[in-house]
């Protein structure tokens, strides 16, 4: 029967263990919050309070564990466990009655963390160290359970010491008595706590899995790397835990098979030679490349991804380098030797005609008489084993090649060669000035140029010259109804931006004019000539390397000299003094300065050289250029209505009249020309006209 209740005493009850599968007891924990001086009784029953069991406790400690057995255990699944503590004091029982719900448990352990494919032969588990939930309580063991799915069923895997924080679940194999973890599918793990033969409710479950590494590298040879040409040699690095490797292949550039097909399954070897007849029906052809892939297997696992490589029996692709305008006899073909090659075949033209079959890599000269581009392609071979063809490439005989450094050039341009050898071009594009600087001394295409510029508004084409190793330029800008002439100088030997230029005004002409400037530098003294509005304008620096407007003088030679029209004069240095040639009203005139730096119109003398009507159907001049030809003035010219190209050379170093000049027919230009398209230069002891 239940003792009568009197004054209670201070204690706390909790349920530690959950229900087990067998008849093992579950445990009630008793924590005394203050010490008792004598023995006392603990009684428990199910919720009906009909079947009491009593235990006398002598020399009580602050913490006690009470194992619940018998009918109270059996019926606890349907109700509460009812616990009574009674202590005898002064001849009376002090009763404290407490009931405990079945789900009022100590917290379960933390869910374990499981490795995610970090190992091929195990799954690593870890968890945080257990924390004691009540004073004095300890645990006997940590239990690990494993299942193939989150919902179970779970089987016991291991029993560990209560202070454990990690466990390695190692795959041993599929034999009897071995720990078989299956394949790559995830496994689920959870933890329980054990005390006095009873276990706690389980923790939450987490999953982990094993994974076999991918093959680190696959190397596939070609004919050059093996030096054989009769096989594709494959090699790879070992994968830990792998006991076999699977190879597949397919054609890489049109060969068969079209899709990946099994080539061979191997054991633990780390290389394989794919031969022409092996495996039967799957041999490698000499004309095709193949794409191979490999993966490893072992411990019930397969590598998750394939490793690929391309190989062939072919030799390396030769790199063919035809000369481009460097050989006067034709196109010189060069290439580097391909290891393993016994010869090279060179094909020419779009029809790929065989040009030559050469046994080594000595340069081969393709003799041509024209200056056109010629296309070539090459293949290296060793017996029947060919390389792939080199890409088409081209070359040409020594001569001229042209390209456009920029776009939209609307009128004549001017060019100088900078101190570094890089060409610099100035051009008028509408009312904007554009400068084009080559990236090297020998630009081959428009990609080899960079450009920059600024807005004028420009109304005269720019004219470049070199002054003391740096470019200078004459320009004309229309500002407020006045045509202004500017001298612009680069602060750098190779100006690559607009910031490298500084300019200043040197003269102005009322109204809008058209025409072209002709520059000249004698020593360190720049000057320019402009034919515009029926006058010849000359601009001369009064000092070497002028730096502002005040250091210039300008003057005009008017119509009394027979000047008319707006053609570009040709100003040039003749034995250290300026000379010029200009056209006016279908007549050509020659002017000569008496001093090195002419600052007045009286420093010049002029005479008529010839009337263009003296040449049949010649018409007005379309262009001309003049130079110092060994101390004798000379100029080349052509006519608008004629394709003839002629040269005039003075018979005296200081000609004074038309009879001092002789003329010769140079050749036929073959097309009508635009203004001032002729360039005359002295090369060695001869003259060249472009």
């Amino acid at each position: 029967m239940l003792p009568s209740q009197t004054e209670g005493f201070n204690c706390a009850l909790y349920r530690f263990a959950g229900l087990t599968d067998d008849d093992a007891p579950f445990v009630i924990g008793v924590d005394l919050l203050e010490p008792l001086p004598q023995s006392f009784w603990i009684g428990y029953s199910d919720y009906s309070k009909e079947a009491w069991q009593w235990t006398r406790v002598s020399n009580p400690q602050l913490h006690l564990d009470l194992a619940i057995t018998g009918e109270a255990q059996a019926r606890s699944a349907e109700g509460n466990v009812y616990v009574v503590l009674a202590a005898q004091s002064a001849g009376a029982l002090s009763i404290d009655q407490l009931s405990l719900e079945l789900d009022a448990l100590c917290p379960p352990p933390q869910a374990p963390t499981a490795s995610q494919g970090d190992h091929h032969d195990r799954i690593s588990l870890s968890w945080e160290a257990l924390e004691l939930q009540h004073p004095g309580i300890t645990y006997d063991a940590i239990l690990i359970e494993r299942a193939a799915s989150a919902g179970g069923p779970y089987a016991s895997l291991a029993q560990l010491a209560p202070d454990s924080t990690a466990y390695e679940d190692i795959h041993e194999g599929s034999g009897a008595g071995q720990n078989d973890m299956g394949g790559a599918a995830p496994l689920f793990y959870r933890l329980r706590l054990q005390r006095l033969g009873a276990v706690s409710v389980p923790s939450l479950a987490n999953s982990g899995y094993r994974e076999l590494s991918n093959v680190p590298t696959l190397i596939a040879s070609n004919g050059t790397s093996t030096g054989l040409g009769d096989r594709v040699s494959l090699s790879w690095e070992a994968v830990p835990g792998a006991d076999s490797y699977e190879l597949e292949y397919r054609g890489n550039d049109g060969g068969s098979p079209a899709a990946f097909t099994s080539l061979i399954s191997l054991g633990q070897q780390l290389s394989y030679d794919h031969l022409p007849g092996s495996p039967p029906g799957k041999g490698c052809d000499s004309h095709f490349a193949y794409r191979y892939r490999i993966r490893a297997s072992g411990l019930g696992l397969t590598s998750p991804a394939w490793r690929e490589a391309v190989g062939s029996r072919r030799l390396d692709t030769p790199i063919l380098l035809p000369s481009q305008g460097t050989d006067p006899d034709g196109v010189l073909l060069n290439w580097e030797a391909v290891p393993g090659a016994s010869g090279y075949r060179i094909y020419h033209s779009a029809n790929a005609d065989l040009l030559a079959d050469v046994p080594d890599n000595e340069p081969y000269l393709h003799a041509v008489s024209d200056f056109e581009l010629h296309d070539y392609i090459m293949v290296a071979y060793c017996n029947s084993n060919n390389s792939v063809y080199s890409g088409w490439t081209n070359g040409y005989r020594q001569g001229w090649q042209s390209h456009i450094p920029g776009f939209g050039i609307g009128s004549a341009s001017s060019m100088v060669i900078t101190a570094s050898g890089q060409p610099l071009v100035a051009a008028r594009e509408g009312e904007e000035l554009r400068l084009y600087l080559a990236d090297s001394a020998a630009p081959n295409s428009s990609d080899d140029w960079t450009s920059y510029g600024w807005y004028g508004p420009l109304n005269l084409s720019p004219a470049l010259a070199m002054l003391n190793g740096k470019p200078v330029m004459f320009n004309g800008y229309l500002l407020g109804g006045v045509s202004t002439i500017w001298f612009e100088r680069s602060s750098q030997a190779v100006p690559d931006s607009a910031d490298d230029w500084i300019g200043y005004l040197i003269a102005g002409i009322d109204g809008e004019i058209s025409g072209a400037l002709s520059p000249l530098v004698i020593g360190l003294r720049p000057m320019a000539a402009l034919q515009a509005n029926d006058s010849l304008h000359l601009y001369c620096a009064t000092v070497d390397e002028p730096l502002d407007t005040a250091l210039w003088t300008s003057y005009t030679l008017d119509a009394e000299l027979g000047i008319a029209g707006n053609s570009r004069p040709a100003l040039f240095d003749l034995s250290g003094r300026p000379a010029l040639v200009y056209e006016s009203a279908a007549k050509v005139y020659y002017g000569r300065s008496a001093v090195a730096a002419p600052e007045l119109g009286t420093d010049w003398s002029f005479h008529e050289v010839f009337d263009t009507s003296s040449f049949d159907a010649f018409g007005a001049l379309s262009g001309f250029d003049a130079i110092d030809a060994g101390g004798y003035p000379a100029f080349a010219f052509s006519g608008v209505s004629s394709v003839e190209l002629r040269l005039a050379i003075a018979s005296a170093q200081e000609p004074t009249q038309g009879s001092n000049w002789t003329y010769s027919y140079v050749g036929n230009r073959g097309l009508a020309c635009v203004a001032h398209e002729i360039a005359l230069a002295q090369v060695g002891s001869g003259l060249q006209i472009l």
Side-chain angles (χ1 to χ4, degrees):
M1 59 180 294
L2 180 65
S4 60
Q5 181 174 352
T6 60
E7 180 183 356
F9 56 89
N10 196 4
C11 68
L13 305 178
Y14 57 89
R15 181 180 176 197
F16 169 73
L19 297 177
T20 63
D21 298 331
D22 303 315
D23 292 332
F26 62 92
V27 178
I28 293 296
V30 181
D31 280 337
L32 299 178
L33 303 183
E34 57 186 21
L36 296 177
Q38 66 271 324
S39 63
F40 64 94
W41 296 80
I42 296 177
Y44 63 89
S45 174
D46 61 14
Y47 193 68
S48 68
K49 306 177 184 177
E50 293 177 355
W52 286 91
Q53 296 189 40
W54 290 89
T55 299
R56 182 174 180 175
V57 180
S58 299
N59 301 317
Q61 306 297 316
L62 287 178
H63 175 80
L64 301 171
D65 288 310
L66 178 61
I68 307 300
T69 60
E71 187 177 353
Q73 176 190 6
R75 297 183 61 182
S76 61
E78 301 175 359
N80 294 344
V81 175
Y82 202 86
V83 179
V84 174
L85 282 75
Q88 185 173 4
S89 176
L93 287 176
S94 177
I95 305 297
D96 191 353
Q97 303 180 51
L98 297 173
S99 64
L100 187 66
E101 297 290 340
L102 289 176
D103 58 357
L105 306 176
C106 285
Q110 180 196 47
T113 298
S115 59
Q116 308 293 304
D118 299 330
H119 314 287
H120 62 275
D121 61 346
R122 69 192 63 203
I123 296 175
S124 296
L125 305 175
S126 62
W127 55 90
E128 293 185 7
L130 299 178
E131 294 183 5
L132 299 181
Q133 302 296 324
H134 295 276
I137 194 169
T138 59
Y139 308 118
D140 298 333
I142 295 176
L143 306 181
I144 302 177
E145 297 175 340
R146 184 178 74 190
S149 64
Y154 284 85
S156 177
L157 177 64
Q159 178 174 317
L160 306 177
D163 58 351
S164 301
T165 58
Y167 179 74
E168 300 289 331
D169 188 12
I170 300 175
H171 176 78
E172 297 174 345
S174 57
Q178 291 183 311
N179 180 25
D180 184 4
M181 299 177 67
L187 296 175
F188 293 80
Y189 298 87
R190 67 187 190 184
L191 304 180
R192 288 181 186 267
L193 303 178
Q194 178 176 294
R195 176 175 170 77
L196 300 177
V199 295
S200 72
V201 293
S203 69
L204 297 176
N206 272 334
S207 64
Y209 61 92
R210 298 183 297 132
E211 186 172 273
L212 199 64
S213 300
N214 297 322
V215 176
T217 58
L218 174 63
I219 299 174
S221 69
N222 63 11
T224 295
S225 60
T226 61
L228 298 174
D230 62 348
R231 69 192 63 192
V232 179
S233 292
L234 302 163
S235 61
W236 55 92
E237 295 181 41
V239 173
D243 53 27
S244 65
Y245 297 91
E246 181 182 0
L247 271 170
E248 294 185 352
Y249 80 121
R250 67 169 174 82
N252 191 60
D253 52 4
S256 60
F260 275 113
T261 302
S262 176
L263 179 63
I264 193 171
S265 293
L266 304 167
Q268 291 184 313
Q269 67 190 75
L270 301 178
S271 64
Y272 176 73
D273 285 338
H274 189 194
L275 301 173
S278 178
K282 300 179 180 179
C284 57
D285 190 284
S286 64
H287 298 291
F288 297 105
Y290 297 93
R291 181 170 290 275
Y292 298 89
R293 68 181 188 181
I294 189 172
R295 64 180 178 181
S297 298
L299 299 176
L301 303 172
T302 300
S303 298
W306 297 85
R307 182 70 65 190
E308 297 187 8
V310 174
S312 73
R313 292 169 53 193
R314 298 184 299 215
L315 303 173
D316 281 348
T317 304
I319 300 175
L320 183 61
L321 301 171
S323 63
Q324 297 187 331
T326 59
D327 195 292
D329 299 320
V331 181
L332 188 64
L333 302 167
N334 288 274
W335 61 94
E336 292 186 6
V338 174
S342 59
Y344 304 86
R345 296 186 184 95
I346 304 171
Y347 300 87
H348 172 242
S349 81
N351 296 324
D353 300 323
L354 180 63
L355 175 65
D357 190 330
V358 294
D360 50 37
N361 68 317
E362 290 297 320
Y364 177 82
L365 178 65
H366 179 205
V368 296
S369 58
D370 57 61
F371 299 99
E372 301 297 325
L373 286 175
H374 291 264
D375 296 317
Y376 303 92
I377 198 169
M378 169 182 276
V379 65
Y381 65 86
C382 176
N383 300 321
S384 62
N385 180 35
N386 289 341
S387 71
V388 292
Y389 287 92
S390 66
W392 282 102
T393 185
N394 55 57
Y396 52 90
R397 179 185 166 202
Q398 187 180 69
W400 290 93
Q401 181 191 25
S402 65
H403 61 270
I404 301 174
F407 299 93
I409 296 178
S411 63
S413 58
S414 175
M415 183 177 77
V416 293
I417 304 300
T418 63
S420 64
Q422 298 166 251
L424 176 67
V425 176
R428 175 185 173 188
E429 298 181 10
E431 294 183 342
E432 183 180 3
L433 174 71
R434 296 300 299 175
L435 289 132
Y436 296 86
L437 177 65
D439 296 339
S440 66
N444 291 317
S445 72
S446 57
D447 294 334
D448 296 334
W449 297 77
T450 56
S451 72
Y452 59 92
W454 55 85
Y455 180 77
L458 205 66
N459 69 328
L460 295 178
S461 297
L464 285 169
M466 293 297 292
L467 174 59
N468 199 19
K470 297 178 181 178
V472 295
M473 177 169 50
F474 292 91
N475 286 325
Y477 300 99
L478 183 61
L479 301 174
V482 177
S483 294
T484 59
I485 310 301
W486 290 69
F487 178 70
E488 308 201 46
R489 182 170 184 177
S490 169
S491 62
Q492 306 295 323
V494 183
D496 57 10
S497 74
D499 294 336
D500 293 336
W501 292 86
I502 184 171
Y504 49 89
L505 177 71
I506 58 175
I509 301 174
D510 289 337
E512 183 175 357
I513 64 172
S514 61
L517 289 155
S518 179
L520 177 64
V521 175
I522 296 181
L524 299 178
R525 193 76 60 93
M527 64 188 69
L530 170 66
Q531 187 175 346
N533 295 0
D534 298 329
S535 295
L536 184 63
H537 305 272
L538 289 153
Y539 309 97
C540 247
T542 57
V543 297
D544 292 347
E545 300 192 63
L547 296 177
D548 59 48
T549 303
L551 303 177
W552 288 83
T553 183
S554 63
Y555 49 93
T556 301
L557 303 175
D558 294 320
E560 64 267 16
L561 297 177
I563 298 173
N566 296 313
S567 66
R568 183 201 299 253
L571 184 63
F572 64 103
D573 180 358
L574 178 63
S575 303
R577 288 183 288 127
L580 64 85
V581 176
Y582 66 94
E583 180 204 4
S584 176
K587 293 182 180 180
V588 176
Y589 295 85
Y590 172 74
R592 178 67 160 143
S593 171
V595 295
E599 299 180 10
L600 301 170
T602 54
D603 292 332
W604 291 87
S605 60
F606 294 87
H607 67 265
E608 179 183 329
V609 180
F610 65 85
D611 189 327
T612 61
S613 62
S614 60
F615 300 100
D616 293 340
F618 213 79
L621 295 187
S622 65
F624 55 90
D625 195 21
I627 63 167
D628 179 347
Y632 294 81
F635 62 93
F637 59 95
S638 62
V640 171
S641 57
S642 173
V643 296
E644 292 184 357
L645 188 62
R646 292 180 177 268
L647 179 67
I649 300 180
S651 57
Q653 291 183 325
E654 297 292 344
T656 57
Q657 54 190 352
S659 59
N660 296 140
W661 296 83
T662 59
Y663 311 96
S664 60
Y665 170 76
V666 176
N668 193 317
R669 297 176 306 164
L671 72 164
C673 294
V674 295
H676 202 67
E677 68 167 359
I678 295 173
L680 180 63
Q682 185 165 8
V683 180
S685 59
L687 299 178
Q688 285 191 358
I689 302 176
L690 305 177

